[in-house]
Amino acid sequence: MKISILYHSKTGNTKEMADVIAQGILKEDVKVKTFSIDDIDEAWVKESSCVIVGTPIYMATTSASIKVWLDTNASKLNLAGKIGGAFATAEYIHGGAEIGIQSILDHMLVFGMLVYSGGFALGDPVIHLGPVGIAGKLDESKETFELYGQRMASKTKEIFK
């Protein structure tokens, strides 16, 4: 079983958190690779049962690079039926991260993906839409990002036995 984590990262924060999510996925004994949207292994993503997309937040939403990629390139990856999730990094706690995550999840629904986060059903920490890391405080969020990865892998294994 494979999971792909795709991201755009200008400062390195979003890449760093993608790597933390991958650590959580590995705890569930699932194969995972992370890719910048500029360098995706399309064959790996097409074989993946779950795809997680990460964005830095600009102007209270996804980066332009993620938006353009979702609108023009994501449809080439046969995403229908896969589990989907999203995460974000932001400069400010109320800087629009949930709006950016929701935008990614909306795209995933249009592609026919099964979006998942665990919500409050899995207890603390509650991750309704997807985890958010704040620049300068990423270490404070790493445990949540790793747990998110583990939860995504666990659900993927449950659905795609």
Side-chain angles (χ1 to χ4, degrees):
M1 182 163 306
K2 296 177 180 178
I3 294 179
S4 294
I5 303 172
L6 314 176
Y7 63 86
H8 170 242
S9 189
K10 187 173 180 180
T11 65
N13 289 341
T14 309
K15 178 191 184 320
E16 181 178 350
M17 300 317 279
D19 292 339
V20 173
I21 291 170
Q23 291 170 11
I25 291 168
L26 290 172
K27 287 184 173 185
E28 289 292 318
D29 198 29
V30 173
K31 295 176 185 175
V32 61
K33 287 188 180 181
T34 63
F35 303 101
S36 164
I37 58 167
D38 298 320
D39 190 27
I40 294 173
D41 179 341
E42 289 187 17
W44 178 275
V45 177
K46 287 177 180 178
E47 294 171 3
S48 294
S49 299
C50 174
V51 176
I52 301 168
V53 177
T55 185
I57 298 302
Y58 296 118
M59 303 301 289
T61 192
T62 61
S63 69
S65 296
I66 285 288
K67 173 70 167 116
V68 168
W69 181 82
L70 287 167
D71 287 348
T72 61
N73 295 314
S75 61
K76 301 174 189 173
L77 298 174
N78 304 332
L79 298 174
K82 298 179 189 298
I83 292 182
F87 67 98
T89 58
E91 288 292 320
Y92 314 102
I93 194 164
H94 301 291
E98 287 188 339
I99 296 168
I101 290 171
Q102 187 64 59
S103 177
I104 293 169
L105 297 177
D106 289 346
H107 278 81
M108 290 178 166
L109 289 168
V110 170
F111 297 140
M113 297 180 76
L114 311 168
V115 299
Y116 181 74
S117 69
F120 65 81
L122 299 176
D124 289 333
V126 173
I127 306 171
H128 285 309
L129 299 177
V132 176
I134 303 301
K137 300 179 181 184
L138 293 180
D139 286 342
E140 295 174 18
S141 301
K142 285 185 176 178
E143 187 175 320
T144 299
F145 274 73
E146 188 172 313
L147 182 60
Y148 174 77
Q150 193 170 357
R151 289 175 177 178
M152 294 296 286
S154 177
K155 182 55 74 174
T156 300
K157 284 172 41 176
E158 177 186 330
I159 291 176
F160 296 98
K161 299 176 194 179

